[in-house]
Amino acid sequence: MPLFARIQELTGIRPYIGNVGADDTDGIDMAYRVIADHIRTLTFAIADGGVPSNEGRGYVLRRILRRGARYARHKFSVELGSFFAQLVDTVVEQMGHMFPEIAKNSDLVKEILCEEEVSFARTLDHGEKLLKQTVAKMPAGSQVIPGASVWRLYDTYGFPVDLTRIIAEESGLQVDEEEFNREQQRAKELSRQKKGGAAGTNMVALDVHAIAQLNEMGMAKTNDEPKYSLRSVKAQVLAIFTGKEFIAESNDEPVLGVLLDQTNFYAEQGGQEYDTGSLVSSDSEFTVENVQVYGGYILHSGFLKYGAIKVGDTVEAQYDVLRRLPIRNNHTATHILNFALRQVLQNNEIDQRGSLVAPDRLRFDFSCKDSIKPEQVREIEAVCNRIIADNLSVYAREVPLDEARQINGLRAVFGEVYPDPVRVVSIGADIDKILKAPQDKQWTNYSIEFCGGTHVAGTADIKEFVIVEETSIAKGIRRIIAVTGEEAMKAQLLHRSLEAEVKSLNSLQNPEPELKRLTKELDMAAIGVYEKHLLRQEFDQIRKAFADADKAAKAQAIKLATDQVKQTIEENPQQQWFVFRLDVPNKVVSQVTKIVKTMDKAAYFISLDNSRVNHQCVVGKSLVNRLPANEWAKAVGQIVGGKYGGKNDSAQGSGTEVSRIDEAISVAQEFAKSRLD
């Protein structure tokens, strides 16, 4: 096989001979098969839009790569870094003619694999070392690795649990799974507590057993067609779920799940967040906090506000309009953004890689190898706002899948499986007209996508669109976060406020405190990316001008102070000690002391700086036995307070007794006089 031949070429290991089980005594053939299988899986998955991460399908990909990497390291002695990337071309040569998308995205696949492999090499080295230390500490004869240690390896150091199990098995050991599960659960509970109980407490979920039970009961899947048009809908309660069992009537469980025959609530899917709201009857109200779909059944999770709810009740389902409207705005804005990206960047390789549509923001991940300049972000934002201002109508209807795929310029999520018929959403172009001439080039001038989400009727409902973040999240994958409507207006107001504050810096005599404050505020500010770019440029110019002026002022202060001290000492060559008051920054005084050190004299410098009395002294080598600097500083420090200390040739301190500065000068003089005169 070409893949086995390539593995041998890269590793120099013996050829594959097909041994399995007990016959594969050195495990080399197993390693061949594992690596070949894993690189095929990874190539297809990443080309299909998957990105290794710590959650969901991304975590599955990360585990696959790490398992294969460990085989490569331990069986083939491969130096991890680019091993898997060097196998991608062989996979493409074998299968690219049948699956052209892997050839199209091969460079991206290689980049992501290299990045992950390098990262895991560090984790593997550290994790294996820690695991060996853990095993070494086990009692003599013990064959069970403590579950708490295994969890800690994962939770603290990121060492995969499945790799720990494999290593344990290879060493004739096993993991204490019961203790591991306890530690994992304890960590989850602690995490929930830290989040104020929000994680997972507002919903119950239907597992495969519950879904099977519903199917056995002959319960029809939930009709959610009203979600596109009706603010409220009459519905019948078909089932109530506690998270463990179905019940006929609500009980004292803090969270319940309710199934209806039909609903106007949007269940979280396609990147769009769920609706919240209420199920109301004449004598009860059930607050809906979360809505999810499981195998066609839409479960409304929440709590009973008052009364009771039971199977067979008729309720009025009402979603929260104030939550739905901004979500709707952001979903349509996401489509507009997708269109604008291709228009501005002139790149047909841009494909959606993920999205989030929430009430307060939208997030759009997309494939793009090159960085995006702030000027391009401004242009993308401008295209979006032009479409919004034009108040284009938004059309949506279901279309047979094969027919919909013929539409020129259609956008769909790469690798997504769509139903038949599929819902098509078009901004500005009537779908009926599109279907009459689906191949017409004019449709590339409109946003047309497969989508099951909720949308505005006209783009003017969105009001404003502001891109507040544009960044890279992985090799070849970029992310845009944007806000619309009221949130966009807040961003614009914040920008104006920060702009005024930045401009006001020029009028301040000492802008340093404001510079520090505004540095943090600019970093955190949710304002337009381009506007932030311009503000940073202006801010950096002001900060540089201040830094240059401050540097020049300090240099001048050092020169003046140095000249003053040097002149005084030179005019009194027989005098061994001097006490100076220099009201300059402490850093300036530190520079002046260097001059005195070269003159074999004793000098004390006292200064008032930012409501503190700073003091420091230096004593020449010939004088330290009679006038130790640390004792001199102690005498002054007892007057001005605060901390003080040092050695016999130099010492310093800082106190708060500003009113006693003249007394401190006198004490410094008297102390030196008593020791040297």
Side-chain angles (χ1 to χ4, degrees):
M1 291 180 63
L3 204 46
F4 288 170
R6 179 59 173 159
I7 291 171
Q8 185 191 11
E9 178 185 348
L10 292 173
T11 62
I13 204 72
R14 69 159 173 82
Y16 178 77
I17 55 178
N19 285 337
V20 296
D23 294 333
D24 187 20
T25 55
D26 56 6
I28 295 297
D29 288 341
M30 167 65 84
Y32 265 110
R33 292 189 291 271
V34 167
I35 290 172
D37 178 70
H38 285 20
I39 187 57
R40 282 191 292 262
T41 300
L42 290 164
T43 299
F44 276 88
I46 295 173
D48 200 32
V51 177
S53 67
N54 285 330
E55 55 188 26
R57 66 174 183 173
Y59 183 56
V60 174
L61 293 180
R62 178 161 283 171
R63 289 179 64 185
I64 290 172
L65 176 61
R66 290 182 169 187
R67 183 171 183 267
R70 187 173 177 276
Y71 268 95
R73 165 76 73 85
H74 285 271
K75 295 299 182 181
F76 296 157
S77 300
V78 166
E79 187 69 31
L80 297 180
S82 61
F83 175 65
F84 278 84
Q86 294 179 77
L87 298 174
V88 171
D89 287 340
T90 305
V91 176
V92 172
E93 288 170 9
Q94 284 187 279
M95 312 183 79
H97 62 287
M98 295 180 61
F99 304 97
E101 64 271 15
I102 65 172
K104 175 183 172 183
N105 296 299
S106 63
D107 288 342
L108 174 62
V109 173
K110 292 175 187 176
E111 288 176 4
I112 291 175
L113 288 175
C114 286
E115 185 179 86
E116 280 292 309
E117 202 171 314
V118 169
S119 174
F120 180 58
R122 294 191 294 267
T123 301
L124 186 59
D125 290 338
H126 191 47
E128 287 186 327
K129 180 180 178 182
L130 290 170
L131 183 56
K132 286 179 182 177
Q133 292 174 356
T134 299
V135 172
K137 293 177 182 177
M138 290 164 51
S142 176
Q143 301 296 306
V144 180
I145 302 175
S149 299
V150 175
W151 171 252
R152 195 175 303 113
L153 275 172
Y154 168 73
D155 192 39
T156 305
Y157 303 104
F159 195 68
V161 177
D162 52 342
L163 279 188
T164 300
R165 293 189 179 107
I166 291 171
I167 295 170
E169 185 179 347
E170 290 172 348
S171 305
L173 304 172
Q174 58 183 346
V175 172
D176 186 337
E177 298 290 351
E178 188 175 331
E179 184 178 277
F180 172 82
N181 290 332
R182 283 200 306 270
E183 289 294 315
Q184 184 180 43
Q185 188 59 38
R186 191 172 69 84
K188 288 180 179 179
E189 292 297 332
L190 184 61
S191 176
R192 290 192 185 103
Q193 291 171 16
K194 288 180 178 178
K195 294 177 181 178
T201 60
N202 69 340
M203 64 176 288
V204 294
L206 294 175
D207 58 21
V208 291
H209 303 293
I211 294 172
Q213 193 173 344
L214 291 172
N215 288 329
E216 290 172 4
M217 293 162 58
M219 188 169 294
K221 304 295 171 66
T222 311
N223 171 25
D224 65 345
E225 193 61 27
K227 69 187 178 187
Y228 295 122
S229 56
L230 299 176
R231 162 69 180 88
S232 64
V233 63
K234 294 288 185 183
Q236 185 179 22
V237 177
L238 299 183
I240 302 171
F241 190 57
T242 66
K244 297 179 180 178
E245 61 178 349
F246 290 98
I247 55 177
E249 186 173 355
S250 57
N251 56 20
D252 57 359
E253 290 284 345
V255 182
L256 295 170
V258 177
L259 287 172
L260 306 174
D261 62 337
Q262 63 172 350
T263 184
N264 57 341
F265 281 76
Y266 187 89
E268 183 170 359
Q269 56 191 315
Q272 180 174 327
E273 286 194 355
Y274 52 82
D275 283 333
T276 60
S278 301
L279 306 179
V280 182
S281 69
S282 58
D283 57 1
S284 69
E285 181 176 347
F286 182 85
T287 298
V288 178
E289 295 188 306
N290 198 305
V291 185
Q292 301 288 329
V293 59
Y294 304 97
Y297 296 107
I298 295 178
L299 191 66
H300 306 74
S301 294
F303 63 92
L304 202 61
K305 197 169 184 180
Y306 65 84
I309 187 171
K310 58 182 182 296
V311 174
D313 280 355
T314 297
V315 295
E316 186 172 355
Q318 304 173 342
Y319 61 73
D320 182 350
V321 177
L322 295 179
R323 177 179 167 87
R324 165 75 77 89
L325 291 182
I327 290 177
R328 180 200 66 176
N329 294 350
N330 286 338
H331 204 149
T332 304
T334 302
H335 286 219
I336 295 172
L337 172 61
N338 193 3
F339 172 80
L341 282 168
R342 292 169 67 87
Q343 292 290 304
V344 172
L345 301 180
Q346 296 291 306
N347 185 349
N348 290 328
E349 301 300 312
I350 290 174
D351 282 308
Q352 180 176 338
R353 296 300 190 188
S355 67
L356 170 70
V357 180
D360 59 337
R361 71 196 185 285
L362 65 92
R363 187 183 73 211
F364 189 75
D365 300 340
F366 57 98
S367 57
C368 183
K369 296 178 182 178
D370 302 320
S371 61
I372 299 177
K373 298 176 181 178
E375 292 76 12
Q376 291 175 304
V377 174
R378 175 184 59 174
E379 193 175 346
I380 292 164
E381 192 177 274
V383 170
C384 292
N385 279 310
R386 280 198 297 271
I387 293 173
I388 290 168
D390 287 342
N391 195 22
L392 301 180
S393 296
V394 178
Y395 302 88
R397 57 162 284 193
E398 289 191 341
V399 178
L401 185 58
D402 288 340
E403 190 176 350
R405 289 189 187 278
Q406 302 304 311
I407 299 172
N408 197 357
L410 174 78
R411 305 294 297 137
V413 178
F414 182 73
E416 187 75 22
V417 177
Y418 291 96
D420 190 4
V422 64
R423 191 164 182 264
V424 177
V425 174
S426 168
I427 300 175
D430 191 320
I431 295 176
D432 290 334
K433 292 181 180 179
I434 293 172
L435 294 177
K436 289 178 181 177
Q439 293 297 314
D440 197 316
K441 290 183 179 180
Q442 68 169 309
W443 308 134
T444 60
N445 298 320
Y446 298 89
S447 166
I448 306 171
E449 297 192 28
F450 291 164
C451 181
T454 59
H455 290 273
V456 300
T459 57
D461 291 351
I462 301 169
K463 296 182 178 65
E464 296 285 342
F465 178 90
V466 175
I467 296 174
V468 296
E469 184 178 326
E470 191 285 318
T471 186
S472 170
I473 60 169
K475 290 288 186 181
I477 307 292
R478 302 197 71 81
R479 168 172 291 173
I480 281 178
I481 296 177
V483 291
T484 65
E486 184 178 342
E487 294 297 325
M489 293 175 189
K490 288 179 183 176
Q492 292 168 340
L493 288 172
L494 179 58
H495 166 244
R496 292 193 199 99
S497 173
L498 288 172
E499 186 178 40
E501 289 191 65
V502 169
K503 291 185 182 302
S504 71
L505 291 172
N506 289 310
S507 62
L508 298 178
Q509 296 231 337
N510 178 23
E512 188 172 9
E514 285 298 290
L515 283 169
K516 290 180 179 179
R517 180 182 67 81
L518 280 173
T519 297
K520 294 180 181 178
E521 286 199 20
L522 273 175
D523 287 340
M524 300 296 294
I527 61 176
V529 168
Y530 182 71
E531 285 73 17
K532 182 181 283 191
H533 167 69
L534 294 181
L535 270 184
R536 282 190 184 283
Q537 287 185 328
E538 184 176 359
F539 180 80
D540 289 343
Q541 288 175 355
I542 294 171
R543 182 165 54 185
K544 184 178 184 303
F546 169 74
D548 291 344
D550 186 59
K551 184 178 180 181
K554 285 178 180 176
Q556 180 66 14
I558 290 171
K559 185 179 184 306
L560 290 174
T562 301
D563 290 346
Q564 176 190 339
V565 170
K566 195 173 182 181
Q567 181 180 351
T568 301
I569 294 175
E570 288 175 348
E571 289 176 351
N572 301 276
Q574 301 305 314
Q575 188 171 330
Q576 293 181 305
W577 60 268
F578 300 85
V579 176
F580 298 93
R581 175 170 176 173
L582 299 175
D583 287 334
V584 293
N586 212 32
K587 291 180 181 178
V588 174
V589 177
S590 296
Q591 293 296 319
V592 177
T593 60
K594 294 178 181 178
I595 300 297
V596 180
K597 284 182 179 180
T598 66
M599 304 176 79
D600 198 30
K601 300 288 184 178
Y604 213 114
F605 302 92
I606 300 177
S607 62
L608 186 62
D609 183 24
N610 291 329
S611 300
R612 293 190 69 85
V613 178
N614 295 320
H615 55 100
Q616 52 184 301
C617 60
V618 289
V619 179
K621 289 183 179 180
S622 65
L623 305 174
V624 293
N625 290 331
R626 289 184 290 161
L627 180 61
N630 50 1
E631 293 183 17
W632 202 5
K634 179 180 179 181
V636 174
Q638 288 175 339
I639 303 301
V640 298
K643 295 181 179 180
Y644 50 86
K647 300 178 181 178
N648 61 354
D649 63 340
S650 66
Q652 60 280 321
S654 179
T656 57
E657 297 294 332
V658 175
S659 63
R660 302 183 69 184
I661 190 169
D662 291 333
E663 183 183 353
I665 292 171
S666 297
V667 167
Q669 292 170 337
E670 291 300 321
F671 189 90
K673 187 183 295 184
S674 68
R675 295 299 183 92
L676 297 179
D677 288 352

